[in-house]
Amino acid sequence: MSELDPKARINLSKAIVLIVETTSHAAEMLGQILKGFGVAETHRCVSATEAEKLLRTRTFDLILVDPDVKEGDGYALLRNLRSSMVEPNCFAPIILMSGHARVSKVKLARDTGANFFVSKPIAPNILLERILWVARDKRPYVEAGKYIGPDRRFKFEGPPPDSDGRRSSDLKDPLGEASDPNMSQNEIDGLMKPQRVMI
Amino acid sequence: MSVVRRFRPENRLAKLMAAPGGVSIADALQQASVELESVRESCMSALDEKLNALTTLNATTVTRERDEQMYLLSNEIFGESGAFGLEELSAVAHSLCTMLDANADCLPTRPAIIRVHIEAMRALRHPDMAGDKAARAAVLAGLRGLTARHAQPIDDLDDEPST
């Protein structure tokens, strides 16, 4: 995770964010942090039932969920949202904000379809880093069996040993030794084409 | 073998954030801290109420439901105190969560350890502790040693997903 560039700009003035928290105070704290970031509109709920109603009627650009939300289960809320295929909310970036990690819930959390996990306590710089991360996330979404959400594999380390892999981009043959001379630095620089990016 | 479908839905958040205008990240972070500070007092009152509720619950008969309620309260204290920089209190609350999440049958000393955690949190909220970092650190170090003897490590993720 890269550090934040203090001079970079963000524009959340038109973003609508749903906060699903365990208590009104926790929701208020998050709401205040988002207000500081310039978020135009936040909707705060402290129950899964309330969140489900809002998700049916409003469109959100970002969803922040604590899985221990009352009157339901935050994990189920997220899984149901992803599998509902009701656009655009079903594809909205979701950040799961977990407090203490229950031993029994670690795998469950991984399979909800959230884009990112943040460990509490929430600090403004950490939350902003994660928001920027989900905005820049280039992973494709995947529908496989009961799972719908971003590809859970962050790193591609090649196909499993003794297999040809399943991706069309998996190399079938070993690469072997290089046959041509190495490229010069100028040739490499020319391939990169650095561009200025506004965030 | 299940069918795998890959697709790239529109990321509206990315488009909004890249729009001209907005604020610098430095200003956003500074303003967020100011806004968070504005709710400190009400959050601290709520935190003390949760501590009282924990004490009351701990005096009742041990049941799975009671432990679940205590776990949730402790988890809330962990998150909310930590966000306001009460690091030791947050750490003790986290330690209590670990204790409450552990298998109760294997820990004969569990009730006593839970009681010590709650008393430690109450002590850390005492006004005299606010300016005594060494005393707060001592409380935390003692509890860490105690919990390390009982808490179970989180299992490794042995079955990595293929997608």
Side-chain angles (χ1 to χ4, degrees):
Chain A
M1 180 71 62
S2 62
E3 288 187 10
L4 294 168
D5 174 4
K7 290 178 185 166
R9 296 187 77 81
I10 52 164
N11 191 347
L12 288 162
S13 60
K14 291 184 179 166
I16 302 173
V17 182
L18 175 64
I19 297 170
V20 187
E21 259 292 1
T22 52
T23 67
S24 57
H25 281 96
E28 191 178 11
M29 284 162 56
L30 263 182
Q32 292 301 107
I33 293 174
L34 293 172
K35 186 178 168 190
F37 293 165
V39 171
E41 195 176 331
T42 55
H43 293 260
R44 306 167 191 186
C45 353
V46 291
S47 81
T49 317
E50 214 181 326
E52 277 167 3
K53 277 183 195 165
L54 271 173
L55 285 164
R56 279 197 294 267
T57 54
R58 301 295 304 255
T59 296
F60 295 101
D61 303 303
L62 175 66
I63 300 171
L64 306 174
V65 180
D66 186 314
D68 283 327
V69 63
K70 293 176 178 67
E71 289 177 31
D73 173 351
Y75 300 114
L77 175 75
L78 297 190
R79 274 197 313 275
N80 294 340
L81 173 65
R82 289 292 193 219
S83 61
S84 72
M85 297 307 261
V86 177
E87 296 188 36
N89 282 345
C90 68
F91 299 134
I94 297 171
I95 297 177
L96 199 61
M97 306 168 301
S98 175
H100 178 267
R102 288 180 198 251
V103 174
S104 58
K105 298 288 175 75
V106 174
K107 289 175 187 171
L108 193 61
R110 183 190 64 190
D111 298 333
T112 55
N115 296 68
F116 211 101
F117 300 88
V118 182
S119 292
K120 288 187 177 183
I122 301 288
N125 61 323
I126 299 293
L127 182 61
L128 188 52
E129 270 189 359
R130 270 40 169 194
I131 291 174
L132 285 168
W133 197 93
V134 295
R136 294 168 180 161
D137 190 4
K138 300 291 185 203
R139 285 176 299 161
Y141 275 55
V142 169
E143 183 178 359
K146 290 178 182 173
Y147 178 79
I148 301 176
D151 194 330
R152 288 166 290 185
R153 293 176 298 183
F154 277 70
K155 288 191 295 183
F156 178 51
E157 296 174 325
D162 304 320
S163 83
D164 290 334
R166 294 186 300 173
R167 293 175 169 176
S168 59
S169 56
D170 286 340
L171 296 172
K172 305 298 179 202
D173 299 313
L175 289 175
E177 293 297 318
S179 55
D180 295 324
N182 290 338
M183 294 172 80
S184 70
Q185 189 59 50
N186 284 343
E187 287 172 315
I188 295 169
D189 292 343
L191 290 173
M192 300 296 181
K193 293 182 185 170
Q195 291 178 349
R196 194 171 180 177
V197 178
M198 287 287 288
I199 300 293
Chain B
M1 192 173 182
S2 59
V3 175
V4 177
R5 185 171 76 93
R6 288 172 197 279
F7 53 101
R8 292 185 185 274
E10 181 190 26
N11 189 336
R12 295 184 310 122
L13 181 67
K15 285 186 180 171
L16 288 174
M17 288 181 76
V23 293
S24 71
I25 282 181
D27 288 344
L29 290 175
Q30 190 187 4
Q31 194 55 39
S33 297
V34 170
E35 298 291 349
L36 183 60
E37 205 55 33
S38 72
V39 295
R40 175 186 282 268
E41 206 173 313
S42 66
C43 288
M44 289 300 109
S45 300
L47 203 146
D48 288 334
E49 284 172 19
K50 289 177 212 286
L51 263 176
N52 289 336
L54 262 182
T55 309
T56 306
L57 276 169
N58 195 44
T60 60
T61 311
V62 179
T63 62
R64 194 181 292 263
E65 290 71 28
R66 183 208 77 151
D67 281 3
E68 176 65 13
Q69 280 184 52
M70 288 179 71
Y71 176 90
L72 293 175
L73 278 170
S74 191
N75 210 357
E76 288 167 16
I77 292 171
F78 161 63
E80 292 170 24
S81 60
F84 286 103
L86 305 178
E87 293 170 17
E88 294 88 1
L89 180 61
S90 182
V92 175
H94 188 273
S95 177
L96 179 56
C97 284
T98 303
M99 186 54 54
L100 289 163
D101 192 37
N103 185 351
D105 302 335
C106 303
L107 303 172
T109 55
R110 188 172 180 268
I113 296 170
I114 289 172
R115 193 174 66 245
V116 171
H117 275 78
I118 295 170
E119 290 305 318
M121 285 196 281
R122 296 186 75 86
L124 287 167
R125 281 295 293 152
H126 193 279
D128 290 350
M129 289 288 249
D132 195 343
K133 191 170 174 57
R136 297 199 309 270
V139 170
L140 188 56
L143 277 173
R144 278 191 172 143
L146 191 65
T147 309
R149 292 167 182 268
H150 297 275
Q152 300 294 315
I154 292 174
D155 291 334
D156 289 335
L157 294 176
D158 49 2
D159 55 338
E160 288 299 314
S162 59
T163 55

